[in-house]
Every structure is written in C-alpha cells, then in structure tokens.
Amino acid sequence: MNDVISNPIFSYFKADGTQVTALPVDLSTAGGPQTLASIKTIQVSLLIRNNSVLDPKTRQPIETTFQGEVSLNNCSMAASGAPMSCQ
C-alpha cells in the first residue's frame, strides 16, 4: 500500500513571493475572489512511501519524492491595477 506522507501537498504564493495560507476561500465573500486572484504560483510536494516494498540494504520502506511548480496568470480575476491585472 502506498502512503502520501507530505502535508501540505500544495503551497500557494503571491507574485511577490508571499505565501497565501487563507485557502480554501469562500468565493461568495468580498475577499474570496481577491485572495484567489492574488495567487501566482502553486508548488506541489509529495513524499510517497510503499510500505510493502523494503529496500534490501536498509530494510526501510521504499520512498520517492515528487516536486513541481506551476505559474498562473489569473488576470481575468485580478482587480485593475493589481500585480496580476490584465489592465
């Protein structure tokens, strides 16, 4: 059986590099869409362990890491004049 060890799996950042920690947000509130529109980068980090397969030398479960990063252009949601605005 495989286990995902990472927590959190996703991290969110504004264009200036500030981490966004207020997710998930309610899009029906005044600040919800603004928070979502401010996200420029999403980082993914997974540590996966297979407890049923052991390394022959260490006798520890096999682990692998996956990391990635996605850059977004949310200009359709960003307010005019905001860092990610289309205008």
Side-chain angles (χ1 to χ4, degrees):
M1 176 168 162
N2 294 333
D3 294 321
V4 176
I5 310 290
S6 304
N7 188 18
I9 295 171
F10 299 101
S11 299
Y12 310 92
F13 299 89
K14 294 180 180 183
D16 66 3
T18 304
Q19 187 169 4
V20 177
T21 58
L23 291 176
V25 294
D26 183 350
L27 295 178
S28 67
T29 64
Q34 290 177 328
T35 299
L36 192 59
S38 72
I39 296 172
K40 174 69 175 168
T41 305
I42 300 173
Q43 291 181 348
V44 180
S45 181
L46 289 173
L47 173 61
I48 303 168
R49 177 183 297 152
N50 186 337
N51 291 318
S52 63
V53 179
L54 301 179
D55 181 287
K57 290 184 181 179
T58 66
R59 299 310 229 181
Q60 297 297 311
I62 298 293
E63 293 182 350
T64 189
T65 302
F66 171 81
Q67 293 183 329
E69 184 174 289
V70 176
S71 183
L72 303 173
N73 186 1
N74 282 336
C75 68
S76 63
M77 294 183 73
S80 183
M84 293 179 53
S85 174
C86 294
Q87 302 169 3

